[in-house]
Amino acid sequence: MDLDDLECVSSSDGLMDEDEDSVHARQRGGFIKKHGVGIGSIGIGLGTGVPSGLTPAAASVHELLECPVCTNSMYPPIHQCHNGHTLCSTCKSRVHNRCPTCRQELGDIRCLALEKVAEALELPCKYNSLGCPEIFPYYSKVKHEFQCNFRPYNCPYAGSECSVVGDIPILVTHLRDDHKVDMHSGCTFNHRYVKSNPREVENATWMLTVFNCFGKYFCLHFEAFQLGVAPVYMAFLRFMGDENESRNYGYSLEVGGNNRKIIWEGTPRSIRDSHRKVRDSHDGLIIQRNMALFFSGGDRKELKLRVTGRIWKEQPQQNLDSTSSSAGCIPTQSSLHLS
């Protein structure tokens, strides 16, 4: 893949505060579109509607615990107006201390009865429609959902802080159609990265390529950023799936020139780990600027790096001793070689 330059991509997606009329319109049954969501329209819907499998009594209590403004489940402190209408503490400031239902001034009244009732309620995980079978006490459910193995994945595209979430097929389609990411099939690759002025390094320079290999998808990142006061280039691979499954695969990256080369071998990190987390842990091939310019040859005024790589599937441990099984397997322990 020839690139004339590595461009900086950034945006400032954010949720703007809704004004009083917009929030009140929601209470009258109007539909309010979130501001700043951008291309998140293809993400799967995970609303906080009443979970399936509840008794009528439990379903009624669950509906009472739904905030009328943000529609999320309410947790202490739960506020109420003088007429008994409730809302969550987060939305109390969003509606400028006025009840979104009756428009009366909100005081500092807490609905202690509803908070107490919630303690006795047990609900299924909100990802039960995606396969999670767990049931939790009301106040323990959120902690589980934050790390539930069935929760949807965030978009792995790093350049725009994309808000889209979904399962892997949805995200692959989204990356191809909305982010125009290069898609490749195969377990080996050979990419050429070019930058006309390698001394201009910014923290928001990202490249992304997706590979379909062994029936799974992998994301190859290449970027430039400051490590202390020195600019560096980094390449690393992420697995589009959970962490346990990512350990079944290994990969290598190699870059070189002028009879020198650097090789990195490791295990791809799951996209559960954010792009920034992987980058800041330095879990990948890191190339110092001087070495990158040395590899580029010429007058050292232009970056021309060729990164090659391979993805493999690890063999079961009991087969590693046999010649036939280990022929295509490389140990996954991360290492950095300079030869």
Side-chain angles (χ1 to χ4, degrees):
M1 175 178 61
D2 292 337
L3 300 171
D4 294 332
D5 201 358
L6 302 182
E7 297 180 355
C8 171
V9 182
S10 63
S11 71
S12 56
D13 288 347
L15 179 63
M16 298 170 59
D17 289 337
E18 296 172 293
D19 57 27
E20 293 184 37
D21 293 336
S22 297
V23 174
H24 193 43
R26 189 199 301 278
Q27 314 313 314
R28 299 194 303 268
F31 174 74
I32 306 299
K33 181 179 180 181
K34 288 185 177 181
H35 302 278
V37 172
I39 55 178
S41 59
I42 70 168
I44 63 176
L46 292 171
T48 57
V50 178
S52 60
L54 294 182
T55 64
S60 297
V61 175
H62 184 268
E63 289 178 346
L64 290 174
L65 288 164
E66 184 178 275
C67 175
V69 178
C70 65
T71 71
N72 292 325
S73 296
M74 295 186 290
Y75 294 90
I78 299 175
H79 297 276
Q80 70 175 34
C81 72
H82 292 283
N83 292 323
H85 304 123
T86 57
L87 79 162
C88 71
S89 58
T90 301
C91 291
K92 185 173 183 288
S93 59
R94 293 182 64 189
V95 297
H96 307 293
N97 207 38
R98 295 180 67 88
C99 176
T101 303
C102 66
R103 311 299 289 167
Q104 296 298 313
E105 188 78 16
L106 287 169
D108 292 319
I109 307 173
R110 284 180 62 176
C111 188
L112 299 177
L114 191 56
E115 293 178 9
K116 194 70 175 177
V117 168
E119 292 181 3
L121 189 63
E122 291 189 344
L123 295 173
C125 171
K126 73 176 181 179
Y127 303 122
N128 64 331
S129 62
L130 299 180
C132 182
E134 302 293 339
I135 296 177
F136 296 91
Y138 185 79
Y139 291 138
S140 303
K141 194 167 73 82
V142 169
K143 182 178 180 180
H144 160 78
E145 290 169 351
F146 183 75
Q147 55 191 10
C148 177
N149 289 333
F150 293 90
R151 71 191 188 277
Y153 295 91
N154 294 319
C155 172
Y157 191 84
S160 62
E161 300 298 330
C162 182
S163 62
V164 171
V165 298
D167 59 17
I168 300 304
I170 283 178
L171 292 183
V172 170
T173 301
H174 163 65
L175 288 170
R176 182 193 64 208
D177 296 344
D178 294 304
H179 292 299
K180 310 302 180 184
V181 167
D182 287 335
M183 299 284 178
H184 297 272
S185 295
C187 299
T188 61
F189 47 88
N190 187 333
H191 286 293
R192 183 169 176 261
Y193 298 100
V194 177
K195 185 171 179 61
S196 58
N197 186 356
R199 298 185 182 278
E200 293 180 357
V201 178
E202 301 181 24
N203 286 323
T205 303
W206 290 280
M207 299 297 301
L208 177 62
T209 307
V210 174
F211 296 92
N212 183 351
C213 179
F214 300 111
K216 304 295 181 179
Y217 290 92
F218 301 81
C219 296
L220 174 65
H221 296 264
F222 182 87
E223 67 172 272
F225 64 99
Q226 293 284 145
L227 184 58
V229 296
V232 298
Y233 303 94
M234 183 175 179
F236 57 91
L237 199 72
R238 287 200 292 166
F239 174 71
M240 295 187 70
D242 63 38
E243 181 180 359
N244 290 333
E245 192 176 3
S246 71
R247 298 192 186 105
N248 296 328
Y249 303 91
Y251 76 101
S252 65
L253 296 173
E254 179 179 318
V255 62
N258 289 326
N259 298 318
R260 302 290 189 275
K261 65 181 178 180
I262 299 176
I263 300 174
W264 166 270
E265 295 177 2
T267 301
R269 298 276 283 271
S270 166
I271 59 173
R272 292 286 191 209
D273 289 339
S274 70
H275 161 271
R276 183 175 297 276
K277 180 178 180 179
V278 179
R279 188 198 72 181
D280 291 348
S281 66
H282 306 159
D283 192 3
L285 174 65
I286 296 180
I287 314 160
Q288 300 291 337
R289 183 178 64 184
N290 285 340
M291 184 61 73
L293 292 174
F294 177 76
F295 289 155
S296 300
D299 55 8
R300 298 170 60 91
K301 293 182 179 180
E302 184 178 34
L303 181 75
K304 293 181 180 179
L305 290 179
R306 185 175 297 278
V307 178
T308 61
R310 184 169 74 91
I311 305 168
W312 63 84
K313 190 170 185 179
E314 292 295 344
Q315 301 295 326
Q317 186 65 36
Q318 60 268 26
N319 294 334
L320 291 179
D321 295 333
S322 64
T323 304
S324 60
S325 297
S326 61
C329 178
I330 299 177
T332 60
Q333 183 177 1
S334 298
S335 59
L336 183 64
H337 309 284
L338 179 63
S339 58

